[in-house]
C-alpha cells in the first residue's frame, strides 16, 4: 500500500509540470520506494489538493483522473473530499462527471461536507439540458445522506413529470434509492410509482416496474390498469426492462387468471381412459365438454402472445424470462415452443449454459417431451467444464426412456471412460438411475456396472459398488452371484464408501451367501483397527447380523469385533458397540428389546429411490437466483398458486378517462358509476396510442401497427360475436387519380380504428400506387391547408416506390367533428398534387356499447332541440334485424345496443373529437316504412347523419 | 440489482472495484477465492456463489473474473448477460479487453461503468449511445484534448437514447459507403471411433460491418430461408417482416454488429468436410505407445480445407511423444499433456499425417480411454448448409453503397472420439 502510494507522490511531483500525459499517470508502474515511507500519503494528497485548487482546468482534470484511479483500485481517497467537492460546479463537464463519481463513493462517509454540493444539484435540476437534469438527479439521489430525504422526495416528484422520458427514467431509479435510504417514505413513493406506471414511454416502463418490485411488490392493484399497456409495450422496451417486466407479469398473471392446466390434465386423462371400445363420438363429446369448461382470459392470451416474439431476442436473460413465463403460465401444449430457444442458448458462454442447463434440468423432470427431440444437444464433449458435463448428464438421465435408452447407454459408456474421474463417477450414478427408472434395462445396466468393478480407477469402482448396492436393494432375489463377486473384490477395494457398501450388502443378504459372509467377517475383523470409521461401523453391523442368523459360526468373531470396538478411539463407534452388544448378546440385564433384535436388524428395508437432485427445485420460480441456489434468496417473491376462481377481469379495463368524463360532464351527471362499462374496447385506445408514440419506426414499427390491427380485428370479432358476426367492409374513396397524378394514384379508406395517433384523430388508410414505369421517390405530405382547429398526423415519407408497387400508410386527422375537407398536397420528389379528404359523417364517430336501459336514459335527456327524426322507406328484404344492423353499421361507425323489441334497433356512438353521444334509433313500422330518430347534442352532425342514413335501408 | 463489481486477475488480485450502492467491502471476495481454490481450473469456478449476506455472480473472460455482488433475488442470467455486455463494451472501446488495457484506461472504464448502471440497474448498454456519452480514447483525441482543453465526455443526451432506433446515431457520414456481411457457419460434431457421426449440427451467424451515411433501411433476402430453423436477431431486425416474408428488414447500427444467429434445422443431413484416420494404441506391457493420425477432406464441395489445427489432451500417463508430421508443426506440452498440431492446408493428393510413438510412465497401467481429438478448420467461400443470400437492397438513402457478402465454414466444437 505504502509502496504504491509513494509511486503516486513521486509521479505527481513529476507529472505536475507536464500535465499533458494524463492517461499514463494513473497507471505507471510503481517506482521502488526508497524513502519517505511514512509521509508518502500526506505528500501525495497535498500534491493533489494543490492541483485541484489550481486555476487551470487541465490540472484539475488530471487530479480528478488520478483520484478516480485511486477509487477504482479501492484506495482510500476520502480526505480529499473538501478539495474535490469544491469543483462540483465546474464548467468542464468531464471534471464535473468525475466529481460526481467521487461524490457518490464518499458522500456517505462525509455527510456534512456533502451537503455543500446539494445546492449545485438543485440548480442543475432546472437546467434546460435533459442530460444535466438527469445526471443531477442521479447524483443527488445517490448521495446517501438522510438529511436530504425531503429534498430528494421533492426532486423525484418533479422529475416524474418531466417532459423528457430520460429524466423520468432516472426518477424511477431514484425511487429505489430513496426507499433504501428511508423506507418511511414508502407511501409517498408509491404515489410516484403509480404515476410513472401510467407513463407510456418505453424508456420508463422497465425502470418503474423495477421500482415497483423493490418498493411495493404486494400492491398488485397498481398493475391492473396498466396491464394491457405493459403487455403491448413489451417488445419496444429495452431488453433489461423486458426481463423485469416479464417476471413481474408472471407473478401478476398467477394471481389473476385461472389455471389453463386443468384442461390439459383432463384431456390427458381422457386420453388414458379412452376405452378401446368406446365410440369416437363419445370421445368427442367428452372433449367437447372439457373444452367448454375453460376459456382463456383474453388478457392471459395477450400476455402469451406478446411475449412470444421475444424468444428470438439475442439477450439470454430475455429468452429465459419468456421461457419461465411460458412454463408457469401457458397451457401445457404451448409451453413446448420455448425448448428450441433454450437449446439455442447452450451455444453461449459457459455461465449462461450453466444457468440454462439448470433450468432445463428442472423442466425435463416434469415434462420430458419438451426436450426429447433435442437429446443430442445435451451430449457431453470432453472440452466442457465439469459442472456443465454433470448438468448435461443430469438432463440426459431425465430424458431417458425405453426408446432412447440403448443409444444413451452407449453414450454413457464413453463417459465412464472419461479422464475426468469426477464426471465418470457421476455417469455411473446416472446409469444407476436409468436402471431403476427403466426396468427393461436394469439387468443390462447391472452387468455393465459389474464389469466396471474391475476398473483400475478406484473412484469408478467405488461409485459402481455404491450404485450396485442401491440397485440390488430393489431386487435382491436374483443377484447372489453379484454379491459373491463383490465379496471377492473387498480385498482390493480401498475406498471406504465402497468397502462399507459391500459389507452392508453382505450383511443384509447374509442368508443368501451363507458360506461367504462369515469369511468376510473374519477378514475384516483382522483389519478392523486399520479401517475407516465408516467401514468399522459396517463391520459391527455385519457382525451383529451374522450373530443373529448364524451365531454358531460367528459368535466368537462378533465378540472379538465388539471388543475391538469397545476401545476404539471414536466415541461414535464405542457407542454403537455398546448398543449392539446390549441388543444382541443375551445377558441377565438385557431388556425387552433384545427379543426383537432380529426384527430390528434384519427388517425389510425400503429400497432407496434414485432421484434427480433437481426434483425439488420446481417450487421455485424458474430463472430465479433461488432456483439456481435451491434455497430461498433474500427478497424472493413467491409465485402464488392459480386462484380457483379468477378475480374480476374488468379491473384491467381502462376507462378512456378524458372522453368519458367529458360526456358525463355534458350530461350533467358527473357521478355516473359505469358510463364506460364497455366502450367498444378500451384497451385498443391504449395499444394504439402506445404504437403512436413509437410510430416513427423503431423495431417493428410496421409490426406494431400490424399487431394493433390484429388486436383490433380480434377484438372487433370478439365484440361482434355477441351480436351475430357482422363485418364492416370499408369503402374506398379516391384521393388522387392516376391521370392527374402523373401516374401516381392514391386511394383512401377509413379504417375505423380508434385513435392510432391520438384519441381525437380519425385514422385514414391511404394506399399509394405507382402506375408509371419508373420509381417514384420520396412521397410525402406538404402544405396542409386545414381549417382552424383541425390537425393532421402525416405518414412518414415513403422513400421509394417501385413501378407497379403500392404502399398503404396511415394518416390521422382530427376533423373537429365537422365534415369540412382536409386539403393538403401529396408530393413526390418532382411534383406536388393538391388532394383533399372529406369524411362522411358516419366516420366521425366511434362506437359505444351500452345497455338498453342506459340508452333510454341518455335518450331521455337528449330530446327537444337535440332530436331529429324522419320517416324512411324500407325495402322489404331489409326488414330483418341482421340486415338492418349490417346496413347501418356499414354506413356509419355505430355500436349496436342490444334491444328487447324486435322492431326497434338502437345504435350508440360518440363523436371522435368531442366525445358527444350520438344515439340512433330505427323503429320499423308496417307498410315498409320506418322511423329514424337521432339524438345528439351536436345538432349539425345529427342532421347530416340523418340525411346520410336515410337512403340506406331503402336500397336492396 | 447489481451492488458492486470487482475485477480479479489470474493472480487473484482485485484490480478494480466499482460500487453502485453503498460500498461493499472487498473482503466479500474471500468467498470467491475460496471457491476458486476448490475448483481445479478457472472455468470450473461456479458462476453463482452464495455468501451469508451477498451472492457473487461471476463471468470469466480474457483471463479476468468479473465478479458482481448481489444482495437480493435477481434473475441470474440478467446479471451474467450484463457482465458479458460489459466485457463486450470494453472490447469495443479498447480493441482488446485485458488487465493492462483496463488499468491504462481506468478513468474511461470508470466513466463507462457509471453510465451503464444506475443504482445497479442497466441504464445505457448500447455501445453507440455509450460512445457518444464517453468517447473512446484514441491517440489523436488525447492530443487534441490536451491542446484545446475539450473533453472525452459528451454534454448532450445521445439522440439514440430517446429515439426509436437506439442502436443508431444520427448524422453518420462516410465518403465510401459500404456494407459487408459475413455468413459464418460452424459445425458442431461428435464423431465416434469408427468414423460415423454421433451428432452434428450447424450453427451460423451473419456478422455485418455497415458503414453507411444517414439512416439507411436495408433488406436482406435469402435464396433458401427455409434452412433457418431457429433464429435470434439483433434488436434492429423487424420481426414481423421475418415472420411473414422471411426477409430481414432493418435499420442497421453503425459499424460492426451481429445481425443474426441461426440454427440449421436438424432434418438436413450435415456434410462433414473432413475425416480423421487414427491409430492410437497403448500396450500393457511396454512403456511405448503408437500414435498415428491422418487428416483428409471428405465433403468439401470442391473447396480447400485450411487452417487445420488438431489438438488432443493426452492421458496423464504419457510422458513424452516423439512424432514426425508430414507437414506443419506440432508441439507437445509434457506438463499439461496437450498435443497440438498446426496442419495448415489439406492437400488432397498428399494427406497430412502425424506419426510416432508415445513414451509412457514406467509401471503405470495403460489408460482406459484413448484421447479425444479436437479439430479446427476453415473453408472459405462456402456455407456448408447451402444458405445463400439472394439480394441486399437499400432504401431511404440516395447513394449507391458498395455491398459485399462473404461465406465461411468453420469447425465449432468438432470432436473425434478414438
Amino acid at each position: 500500500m505504502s509502496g504504491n502510494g509513494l509511486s503516486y507522490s513521486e509521479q505527481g511531483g513529476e507529472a505536475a509540470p507536464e500535465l499533458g500525459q494524463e492517461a499514463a499517470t494513473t497507471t505507471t508502474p510503481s517506482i521502488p520506494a526508497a524513502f519517505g515511507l511514512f509521509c508518502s500519503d500526506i505528500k501525495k494528497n497535498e500534491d493533489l489538493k494543490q492541483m485541484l485548487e489550481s486555476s487551470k482546468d487541465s490540472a484539475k482534470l488530471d487530479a480528478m483522473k488520478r483520484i478516480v484511479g485511486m477509487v477504482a483500485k479501492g484506495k482510500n481517497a476520502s480526505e480529499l473530499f473538501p478539495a474535490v467537492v469544491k469543483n462540483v460546479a465546474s464548467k468542464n463537464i468531464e471534471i464535473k462527471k468525475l466529481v460526481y463519481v467521487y461524490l457518490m463513493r464518499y458522500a456517505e462517509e462525509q455527510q456534512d461536507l456533502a451537503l455543500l454540493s446539494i445546492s449545485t444539484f438543485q440548480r442543475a435540476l432546472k437546467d434546460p439540458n435533459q442530460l444535466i437534469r438527469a445526471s443531477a438527479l442521479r447524483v443527488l439521489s445517490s448521495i446517501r445522506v438522510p438529511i436530504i430525504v425531503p429534498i430528494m422526495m421533492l426532486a423525484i416528484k418533479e422529475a416524474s413529470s418531466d417532459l423528457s422520458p430520460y429524466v423520468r427514467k432516472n426518477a424511477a431509479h431514484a425511487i429505489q434509492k430513496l426507499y433504501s435510504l428511508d423506507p418511511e417514505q414508502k407511501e409517498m413513493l408509491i404515489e410516484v410509482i403509480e404515476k410513472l406506471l401510467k407513463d407510456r414511454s418505453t424508456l420508463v416502463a422497465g425502470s418503474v416496474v423495477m421500482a415497483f418490485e423493490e418498493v411495493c411488490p404486494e400492491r398488485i392493484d397498481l398493475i391492473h390498469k396498466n396491464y394491457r399497456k405493459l403487455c403491448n409495450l413489451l417488445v419496444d422496451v429495452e431488453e433489461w426492462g423486458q426481463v423485469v417486466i416479464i417476471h413481474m407479469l408472471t407473478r401478476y398473471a398467477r394471481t389473476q387468471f385461472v389455471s389453463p392446466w386443468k384442461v390439459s390434465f383432463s384431456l390427458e386423462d381422457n386420453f388414458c381412459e379412452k376405452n378401446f371400445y368406446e365410440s369416437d363420438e363419445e370421445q368427442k363429446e367428452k372433449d367437447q365438454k372439457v373444452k367448454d369448461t375453460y376459456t382463456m382470459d383474453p388478457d392471459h392470451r395477450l400476455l402469451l402472445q406478446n411475449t412470444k416474439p421475444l424468444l428470438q431476442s439475442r439477450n439470454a436473460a430475455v429468452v429465459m424470462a419468456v421461457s419461465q413465463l411460458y412454463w408457469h403460465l401457458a397451457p401445457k401444449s404451448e409451453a413446448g415452443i420455448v425448448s428450441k430457444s433454450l437449446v439455442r442458448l447452450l451455444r453461449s458462454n459457459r455461465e449462461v449454459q450453466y444457468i440454462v442447463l439448470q433450468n432445463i434440468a428442472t423442466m425435463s423432470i416434469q415434462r420430458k417431451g419438451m426436450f426429447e427431440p433435442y437429446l443430442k444437444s445435451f451430449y457431453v464433449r470432453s472440452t466442457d467444464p465439469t459442472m456443465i458435463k454433470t448438468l448435461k448428464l443430469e438432463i440426459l438421465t431425465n430424458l431417458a426412456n425405453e426408446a432412447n435408452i440403448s443409444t444413451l447407454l452407449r453414450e454413457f459408456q464413453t463417459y465412464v471412460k472419461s479422464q475426468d474421474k469426477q464426471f465418470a463417477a457421476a455417469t455411473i450414478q446416472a446409469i444407476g438411475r436409468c436402471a431403476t427408472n427403466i426396468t427393461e434395462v436394469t439387468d443390462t445396466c447391472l452387468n455393465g456396472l459389474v464389469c466396471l468393478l474391475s476398473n483400475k480407477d478406484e473412484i469408478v469402482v467405488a461409485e459402481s459398488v455404491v450404485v450396485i448396492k442401491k440397485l440390488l436393494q430393489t431386487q435382491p432375489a436374483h443377484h447372489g452371484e453379484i454379491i459373491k463377486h463383490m465379496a471377492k473384490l473387498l480385498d482390493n477395494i480401498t475406498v471406504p464408501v465402497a468397502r462399507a457398501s459391500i459389507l452392508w450388502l453382505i450383511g443384509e443378504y447374509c442368508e443368501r451367501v451363507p458360506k461367504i459372509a462369515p469369511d468376510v467377517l473374519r477378514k475384516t475383523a483382522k483389519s478392523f483397527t486399520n479401517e475407516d470409521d465408516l467401514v468399522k461401523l459396517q463391520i459391527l453391523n455385519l457382525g451383529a447380523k451374522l450373530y443373529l442368523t448364524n451365531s454358531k459360526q460367528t459368535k466368537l468373531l462378533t465378540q472379538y469385533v465388539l471388543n475391538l470396538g469397545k476401545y476404539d478411539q471414536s466415541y461414535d463407534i464405542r457407542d454403537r458397540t455398546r448398543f449392539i452388544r446390549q441388543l444382541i448378546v443375551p445377558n441377565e440385564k438385557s431388556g425387552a428389546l433384545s427379543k426383537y433384535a432380529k426384527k430390528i436388524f434384519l427388517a425389510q428395508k425400503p429400497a432407496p429411490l434414485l432421484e434427480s437432485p433437481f426434483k425439488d427445485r420446481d417450487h421455485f420460480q424458474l430463472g430465479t437466483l433461488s432456483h439456481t441456489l435451491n434455497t430461498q434468496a433474500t427478497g424472493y417473491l413467491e409465485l402464488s398458486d392459480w386462484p380457483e376462481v379468477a378475480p374480476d377481469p374488468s379491473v384491467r379495463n381502462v376507462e378512456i378517462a378524458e372522453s368519458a368524463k367529458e360526456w358525463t360532464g355534458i350530461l350533467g351527471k358527473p357521478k355516473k358509476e359505469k358510463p364506460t362499462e364497455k366502450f367498444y374496447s378500451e384497451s385498443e385506445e391504449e395499444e394504439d396510442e402506445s404504437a403512436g408514440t413509437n410510430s416513427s419506426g423503431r423495431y417493428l414499427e410496421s409490426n406494431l401497427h400490424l399487431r394493433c390491427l390484429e388486436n383490433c380485428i380480434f377484438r372487433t370479432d370478439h365484440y361482434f360475436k355477441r351480436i351475430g358476426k357482422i363485418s364492416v367492409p370499408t369503402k374506398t374513396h379516391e384521393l388522387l387519380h392516376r391521370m392527374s397524378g402523373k401516374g401516381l394514384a392514391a386511394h383512401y379508406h377509413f379504417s375505423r380504428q380508434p385513435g392510432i395517433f391520438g384519441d381525437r384523430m380519425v385514422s385514414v388508410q391511404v394506399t399509394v400506387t405507382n402506375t408509371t414505369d419508373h420509381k417514384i421517390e420520396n412521397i410525402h405530405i406538404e402544405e396542409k391547408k386545414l381549417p382552424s382547429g383541425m390537425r393532421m398526423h402525416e405518414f412518414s415519407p415513403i422513400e421509394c416506390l417501385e413501378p407497379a408497387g403500392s404502399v398503404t400508410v396511415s394518416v390521422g386527422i382530427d376533423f373537429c367533428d365537422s365534415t369540412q375537407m382536409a386539403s393538403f398536397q401529396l408530393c413526390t420528389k418532382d411534383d406536388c398534387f393538391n388532394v383533399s379528404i372529406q369524411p362522411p359523417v358516419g366516420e366521425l364517430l366511434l362506437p359505444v356499447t351500452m345497455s338498453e336501459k342506459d340508452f333510454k336514459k341518455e335518450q331521455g335527456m337528449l330530446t327537444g332541440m337535440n332530436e331529429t327524426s324522419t320517416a324512411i322507406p324500407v325495402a322489404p328484404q331489409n326488414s330483418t334485424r341482421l340486415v338492418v344492423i349490417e346496413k347501418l353499421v356499414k354506413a356509419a361507425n355505430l355500436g349496436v345496443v342490444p334491444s328487447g323489441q324486435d322492431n326497434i334497433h338502437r345504435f350508440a356512438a360518440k363523436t371522435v373529437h368531442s366525445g358527444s353521444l350520438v344515439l340512433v334509433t330505427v323503429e320499423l313500422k308496417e307498410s315498409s316504412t320506418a322511423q329514424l330518430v337521432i339524438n345528439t347534442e351536436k345538432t349539425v352532425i345529427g342532421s347530416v347523419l340523418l340525411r346520410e342514413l336515410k337512403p340506406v335501408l331503402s336500397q336492396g | 440489482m447489481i451492488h458492486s463489481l470487482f475485477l480479479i486477475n489470474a493472480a487473484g488480485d482485485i484490480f478494480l472495484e466499482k460500487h453502485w450502492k453503498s460500498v461493499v467491502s472487498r473482503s466479500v471476495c474471500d468467498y470467491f477465492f475460496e471457491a476458486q481454490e476448490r475448483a481445479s481450473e478457472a472455468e470450473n469456478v461456479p458462476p453463482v456463489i452464495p455468501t451469508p449476506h451477498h451472492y457473487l455472480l461471476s463471468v470469466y473472460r480474457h483471463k479476468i473474473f468479473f465478479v458482481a455482488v448481489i444482495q437480493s433475488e435477481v434473475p441470474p442470467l440478467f446479471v451474467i448477460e450484463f457482465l458479458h455486455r460489459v466485457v463486450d463494451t470494453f472490447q469495443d472501446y479498447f480493441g482488446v479487453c485485458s488487465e493492462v488495457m483496463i488499468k491504462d484506461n481506468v478513468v474511461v472504464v470508470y466513466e463507462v461503468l457509471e453510465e451503464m448502471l444506475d443504482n445497479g440497474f442497466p441504464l445505457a448498454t448500447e455501445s453507440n449511445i455509450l460512445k457518444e456519452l464517453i468517447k473512446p480514447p484514441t491517440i489523436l483525441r488525447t492530443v487534441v484534448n490536451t491542446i484545446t482543453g475539450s473533453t472525452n465526455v459528451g454534454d448532450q443526451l445521445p439522440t439514440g437514447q430517446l429515439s426509436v432506433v437506439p442502436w443508431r446515431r444520427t448524422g453518420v457520414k462516410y465518403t465510401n459507403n459500404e456494407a459487408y456481411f459475413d455468413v459464418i457457419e460452424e459445425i458442431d460434431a461428435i464423431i465416434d471411433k469408427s468414423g460415423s457421426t454421433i451428432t452434428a449440427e450447424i450453427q451460423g451467424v451473419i456478422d455485418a460491418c455497415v458503414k453507411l451515411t444517414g439512416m439507411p433501411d436495408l433488406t436482406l433476402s435469402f435464396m433458401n430461408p427455409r434452412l433457418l430453423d431457429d433464429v435470434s436477431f439483433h434488436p434492429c431486425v423487424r420481426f414481423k417482416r421475418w415472420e411473414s416474408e422471411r426477409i430481414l428488414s432493418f435499420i442497421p447500427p453503425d459499424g460492426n454488429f451481429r445481425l443474426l444467429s441461426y440454427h440449421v434445422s436438424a432434418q438436413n443431413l450435415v456434410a462433414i468436410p473432413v475425416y480423421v484416420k487414427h491409430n492410437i494404441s497403448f500396450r500393457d506391457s511396454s512403456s511405448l505407445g503408437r500414435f498415428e493420425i491422418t487428416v483428409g477432406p471428405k465433403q468439401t464441395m470442391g473447396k480447400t480445407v485450411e487452417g487445420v489445427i488438431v489438438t488432443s489432451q493426452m492421458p496423464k500417463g504419457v510422458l513424452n511423444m516423439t512424432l514426425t508430421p508430414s507437414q506443419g508443426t506440432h508441439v507437445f506440452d509434457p506438463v499439461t499433456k496437450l498435443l497440438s498440431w498446426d496442419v495448415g492446408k489439406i492437400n488432397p493428393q498428399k494427406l497430412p499425417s502425424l506419426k510416432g510413438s508415445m513414451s509412457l510412465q514406467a509401471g503405470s497401467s495403460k489408460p482406459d480411454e484413448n484421447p479425444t481429438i479436437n479439430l479446427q478448420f476453415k473453408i472459405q467461400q462456402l456455407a456448408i448448409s447451402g444458405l445463400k443470400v439472394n439480394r441486399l437492397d437499400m432504401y431511404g438513402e440516395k447513394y449507391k453503397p458498395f455491398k459485399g457478402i462473404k461465406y465461411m465454414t468453420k469447425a465449432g466444437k468438432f470432436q473425434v472420439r478414438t
Side-chain angles (χ1 to χ4, degrees), chain B residues 121-163:
Chain B
F121 191 78
L123 188 62
T125 49
E126 276 296 336
S127 96
N128 82 75
I129 290 181
L130 283 171
K131 280 185 177 164
E132 272 183 81
L133 281 168
I134 294 127
K135 304 202 174 61
T138 60
I139 295 170
L140 181 70
R141 185 166 298 127
T142 316
V143 173
V144 169
N145 285 353
T146 321
I147 297 165
T148 61
S150 59
T151 69
N152 278 334
V153 180
D155 58 354
Q156 286 296 329
L157 187 67
T159 45
Q161 184 67 273
L162 291 178
S163 95

Side-chain angles (χ1 to χ4, degrees), chain A residues 530-733:
Chain A
N530 302 323
E531 297 285 0
D532 190 274
D533 283 359
L534 202 62
V535 186
K536 283 180 183 168
L537 287 177
Q538 288 309 329
I539 297 174
L540 288 170
N541 244 339
L542 173 68
K545 284 173 185 166
L546 282 175
Y547 187 93
L548 290 172
T549 53
N550 186 3
S551 60
K552 208 168 71 191
Q553 272 186 305
T554 57
K555 195 171 176 182
L556 287 171
L557 262 177
T558 312
Q559 299 243 332
Y560 173 69
V561 171
L562 287 175
N563 281 334
L564 284 176
K566 197 173 171 185
Y567 299 107
D568 200 87
Q569 278 187 333
S570 156
Y571 56 77
D572 213 10
I573 290 168
R574 291 198 303 271
D575 256 9
R576 179 72 64 92
T577 313
R578 211 161 294 138
F579 158 71
I580 289 177
R581 190 191 291 276
Q582 288 302 318
L583 205 56
I584 58 168
V585 185
N587 58 12
E588 63 280 8
K589 266 188 277 172
S590 68
L593 266 181
S594 56
K595 265 189 276 178
Y596 303 105
K598 198 165 183 178
K599 275 191 182 157
I600 292 172
F601 278 100
L602 293 167
Q604 191 77 34
K605 290 163 189 84
L609 275 175
L610 298 176
E611 270 180 346
S612 161
F614 283 83
K615 196 156 174 70
D616 54 343
R617 287 207 184 185
D618 56 340
H619 61 270
F620 290 114
Q621 186 176 358
L622 288 185
T624 59
L625 187 62
S626 305
H627 174 268
T628 299
L629 297 170
N630 200 16
T631 47
Q632 185 151 337
T634 353
Y636 173 74
L637 298 167
E638 198 93 31
L639 202 60
S640 71
D641 273 331
W642 298 101
E644 282 297 314
V645 181
D648 182 17
S650 66
V651 289
R652 281 181 296 277
N653 292 352
V654 183
E655 293 138 36
I656 323 171
E658 308 91 81
S659 50
K661 263 180 219 143
E662 260 177 49
W663 73 263
T664 45
I666 290 161
L667 294 172
K669 280 204 300 172
K671 283 238 163 152
K672 197 158 163 95
E673 265 313 297
K674 313 185 278 183
T676 49
E677 198 183 72
K678 245 137 222 145
F679 254 44
Y680 193 57
S681 154
E682 292 85 341
S683 66
E684 272 156 39
E685 284 247 338
E686 288 251 343
E687 292 155 21
D688 297 336
E689 258 177 47
S690 63
T693 50
N694 300 297
S695 61
S696 44
R698 151 135 212 217
Y699 183 47
L700 335 163
E701 171 211 4
S702 48
N703 315 352
L704 240 174
H705 284 206
L706 272 175
R707 224 157 9 95
C708 292
L709 277 173
E710 276 166 15
N711 276 336
C712 287
I713 291 165
F714 168 69
R715 289 293 160 81
T716 34
D717 277 356
H718 186 70
Y719 167 71
F720 276 118
K721 248 175 231 154
R722 280 185 278 146
I723 53 160
K725 283 189 183 165
I726 294 173
S727 61
V728 182
T730 38
K731 193 177 157 197
T732 310
H733 311 265

